[in-house]
Amino acid sequence: MAARLGMTSAHEAVLGFLNTIVRQGEKTVDLLATGEAVVRWLEQSGLAATPVATGMEPEELSREARLLRERVRELICRRRVGIAIEVSVLNEYLAGGNYRIELSGDDEGELRVVRRFSSDTPRQVLMAVAVAAADLLARGDFRVIRKCENVDCSLWFYDRTKSHRRRWCEMALCGNRHKVTQFRMRGNPE
Ligand SMILES: [Zn+2]
């Protein structure tokens, strides 16, 4: 497995990792509910370039991924509001990591220096995520790392607007819902 993303994209992938559980109102969808789903997500995220080694318990991989996700979420939540974080929470994960550096070329002759992580254990499979999360905590731009302001919505996003005033994961979803609530409150003062 190789890390191949630039810093900002890797940070966005970490927010994408948090968003693999979607809570909107009553509804909850978990995109890491199985080991296969975790492998699929890692491939699509750009954090892990190659499929992971087989032979490990899929349930174990899913369990570890969900555990890491909630730990990272807590660390990011705290960091965002300036509360000191317990670094050992993530270091416990990082300690199991093992990688080598490789010069890698693609078909077009582009060269990249990549980190190839071992993938023998669930934690090693998830290492690219843990490393990206550590980097986000240390160097992430917390002016643009946001959680949707809808309290019933669990989604995070990277605010790329010029004014850095984006409030909603999706205007069409949470933004409009907010508008409707505001409209009702104005229409029916209690
Ligand atoms: Zn939202």
Side-chain angles (χ1 to χ4, degrees):
M1 166 163 59
R4 59 175 179 178
L5 290 181
M7 190 178 91
T8 308
S9 329
H11 292 174
E12 277 187 280
V14 174
L15 299 186
F17 184 62
L18 300 186
N19 291 347
T20 53
I21 188 157
V22 186
R23 287 192 203 92
Q24 278 176 327
E26 311 271 281
K27 213 173 59 183
T28 300
V29 180
D30 194 336
L31 302 176
L32 304 181
T34 66
E36 292 77 14
V38 174
V39 171
R40 210 165 36 241
W41 185 85
L42 283 168
E43 284 168 9
Q44 287 166 357
S45 72
L47 287 169
T50 52
V52 299
T54 48
M56 70 184 63
E57 286 294 320
E59 293 78 23
E60 179 72 358
L61 179 57
S62 167
R63 201 183 62 80
E64 283 289 355
R66 285 178 281 135
L67 186 66
L68 176 63
R69 180 178 63 198
E70 297 321 310
R71 286 183 171 187
V72 168
R73 188 190 311 280
E74 167 140 22
L75 293 172
I76 290 176
C77 284
R78 293 176 73 94
R79 186 87 171 94
R80 194 172 70 107
V81 293
I83 303 174
I85 63 164
E86 193 71 66
V87 289
S88 60
V89 170
L90 200 53
N91 281 343
E92 197 190 300
Y93 264 87
L94 296 167
N98 185 16
Y99 71 85
R100 59 196 160 82
I101 302 285
E102 201 176 276
L103 182 61
S104 162
D106 64 17
D107 296 341
E108 278 98 53
E110 288 291 322
L111 289 174
R112 284 194 317 263
V113 177
V114 296
R115 280 180 292 198
R116 290 212 180 273
F117 291 94
S118 302
S119 53
D120 302 325
T121 67
R123 288 194 174 193
Q124 286 181 343
V125 170
L126 295 162
M127 195 51 59
V129 182
V131 170
D135 194 85
L136 181 149
L137 289 164
R139 297 196 291 168
D141 184 351
F142 279 86
R143 289 168 305 177
V144 297
I145 292 167
R146 293 265 165 78
K147 193 199 149 287
C148 179
E149 286 187 24
N150 176 2
V151 287
D152 294 325
C153 173
S154 61
L155 297 179
W156 287 73
F157 57 87
Y158 223 82
D159 181 3
R160 293 194 177 285
T161 62
K162 253 193 197 139
S163 57
H164 297 327
R165 284 193 192 147
R166 184 176 153 196
R167 301 170 65 192
W168 318 106
C169 60
E170 297 249 14
M171 194 61 210
L173 285 171
C174 293
N176 278 346
R177 201 169 295 158
H178 175 77
K179 267 198 215 155
V180 169
T181 312
Q182 292 280 304
F183 182 77
R184 280 206 194 117
M185 279 164 64
R186 275 199 301 271
N188 308 295
E190 275 162 20

